[in-house]
Amino acid sequence: MNSIVKKRLSPLRKGVYVNAALLFLLIAVFLVGCNVGQYRMSVGEVISTLFGGGTDLGRVILFEERLPRICLAVMVGLGMGMSGVVMQDLLHNDLASPGTLGVSAGSGLFVTLYVALIQGNGSSAVLMPILALFGGLLSAGLIFLFGTRRKQRLQPTRLIMTGVAMSSAYGAVSTFLMLIIDESRLEFLQRWQSGELWGTEWEYIVVFAVWLLLFGVMTYRQGRVLNVINVGYDVARGLGVNVGRQFLYLSVCAVALASASVAFGGNFFFLGLIGPHIARRLVGTDARVLMPASGIIAGIIVMLADMLVQGLEFLANIPAGIVVSVLSVPYFLYLLMRS
């Protein structure tokens, strides 16, 4: 009996160990990222400055420029990575993500409406994620309304195709709005849609961190339920899971995580697709270790992309989301050919 229990626990233990290694890698990339830029700081100087040492100039550069940007990159990755895991498990489809389902496009449309019609620079730290959440939930509701039929089983492929069509419609509306606004708002929206880490002030970081912590914990607590649903809807019902209620609850949590990431980080929808796939190869399918692994991997990807933008002259002023998309497209095509 003990040997059977050990065998059952071993994949989970492996996942915990891999997550610990990924967390160590995240911290290492984080410290290296604090040294990327015109003003060079060694890792030792970065650590010293973080704990109150260093020069006045070093503290200003680290705490007012680099640290907020890197923290935002990590949180955007965590939100999109966890959201992608939930959507793929709920829909039993490896190609499901906030981007392919059109959720990110719905959130983006409402952010575009806000910037174009209300606030010129998108400076409200509270209103932006709320509008993005509303847009994401509305988009998800429309997709499920048009992508499902009564008295028929849920068809993930149909939902994804509906999401692609809805994304095109959202994109058309966003493009129209961008054609009628002034240049300052247009520049902000263009960079934001390309994946600009724009919310790099501590006010935005705090709001995003609270939002991410709240919905991240709510999502992670349902890891066991997500595992059962991932096996099959009928199996989950047989085990006493209220599939409809849990599906709605987890969908709202996933949309909330993705919407906040879109609001503060722009177009990084590929993270919700790539992060879970890489993590699944490392830790397996248990959502309790898959969600944090996917979030950490996605966070590392965003940090590395931002480090390339900050460190290479020919990539200066290029939004990090463009780098992420360019690097992710080949893997996305590979997934499509496999599917």
Side-chain angles (χ1 to χ4, degrees), residues 189-243:
L189 284 175
Q190 284 178 332
R191 298 189 66 82
W192 171 79
Q193 288 187 347
S194 299
E196 175 72 75
L197 293 170
W198 72 270
T200 54
E201 296 181 13
W202 286 114
E203 177 187 7
Y204 305 126
I205 301 297
V206 171
V207 172
F208 190 12
V210 172
W211 185 286
L212 189 64
L213 179 63
L214 174 64
F215 286 100
V217 171
M218 291 171 60
T219 304
Y220 186 79
R221 290 183 60 184
Q222 300 301 108
R224 292 179 181 272
V225 174
L226 192 59
N227 286 336
V228 177
I229 293 177
N230 189 35
V231 174
Y233 301 132
D234 294 335
V235 174
R237 292 189 184 95
L239 293 175
V241 175
N242 188 327
V243 175

Side-chain angles (χ1 to χ4, degrees), residues 102-103 105-108 110 130-140 170 255 259:
V103 173
S107 298
F110 272 72
I130 292 176
L131 283 174
L133 173 61
F134 181 78
L137 290 175
L138 179 62
S139 175
Y170 299 147
V255 171
S259 298

Side-chain angles (χ1 to χ4, degrees), residues 86-294:
V86 174
M87 291 186 175
Q88 289 179 10
D89 284 358
L90 283 180
L91 297 177
H92 303 158
N93 193 304
D94 291 343
L95 296 180
S97 74
T100 55
L101 284 174
V103 173
S104 295
S107 298
L109 174 59
F110 272 72
V111 173
T112 302
L113 286 169
Y114 170 74
V115 175
L117 304 178
I118 302 175
Q119 184 69 33
N121 57 7
S123 61
S124 176
V126 177
L127 191 57
M128 285 278 281
I130 292 176
L131 283 174
L133 173 61
F134 181 78
L137 290 175
L138 179 62
S139 175
L142 291 174
I143 290 168
F144 278 96
L145 177 65
F146 296 133
T148 57
R149 294 181 178 178
R150 291 184 180 182
K151 299 181 181 181
Q152 286 190 1
R153 291 181 179 273
L154 191 68
Q155 298 180 2
T157 303
R158 186 183 182 90
L159 286 176
I160 291 176
M161 296 302 296
T162 305
V164 171
M166 295 296 291
S167 294
S168 299
Y170 299 147
V173 176
S174 298
T175 302
F176 171 77
L177 290 172
M178 293 172 66
L179 291 174
I180 62 174
I181 60 177
D182 57 70
E183 291 186 4
S184 62
R185 302 186 185 198
L186 176 62
E187 182 181 359
F188 173 81
L189 284 175
Q190 284 178 332
R191 298 189 66 82
W192 171 79
Q193 288 187 347
S194 299
E196 175 72 75
L197 293 170
W198 72 270
T200 54
E201 296 181 13
W202 286 114
E203 177 187 7
Y204 305 126
I205 301 297
V206 171
V207 172
F208 190 12
V210 172
W211 185 286
L212 189 64
L213 179 63
L214 174 64
F215 286 100
V217 171
M218 291 171 60
T219 304
Y220 186 79
R221 290 183 60 184
Q222 300 301 108
R224 292 179 181 272
V225 174
L226 192 59
N227 286 336
V228 177
I229 293 177
N230 189 35
V231 174
Y233 301 132
D234 294 335
V235 174
R237 292 189 184 95
L239 293 175
V241 175
N242 188 327
V243 175
R245 181 183 301 173
Q246 291 295 334
F247 194 100
L248 178 62
Y249 176 84
L250 287 167
S251 296
V252 171
C253 289
V255 171
L257 290 171
S259 298
S261 301
V262 167
F264 291 111
N267 188 0
F268 282 96
F269 73 87
F270 265 119
L271 294 173
L273 179 69
I274 304 302
H277 279 277
I278 298 175
R280 198 171 281 113
R281 292 176 178 271
L282 296 176
V283 302
T285 58
D286 192 326
R288 292 172 293 177
V289 290
L290 180 59
M291 282 192 285
S294 176

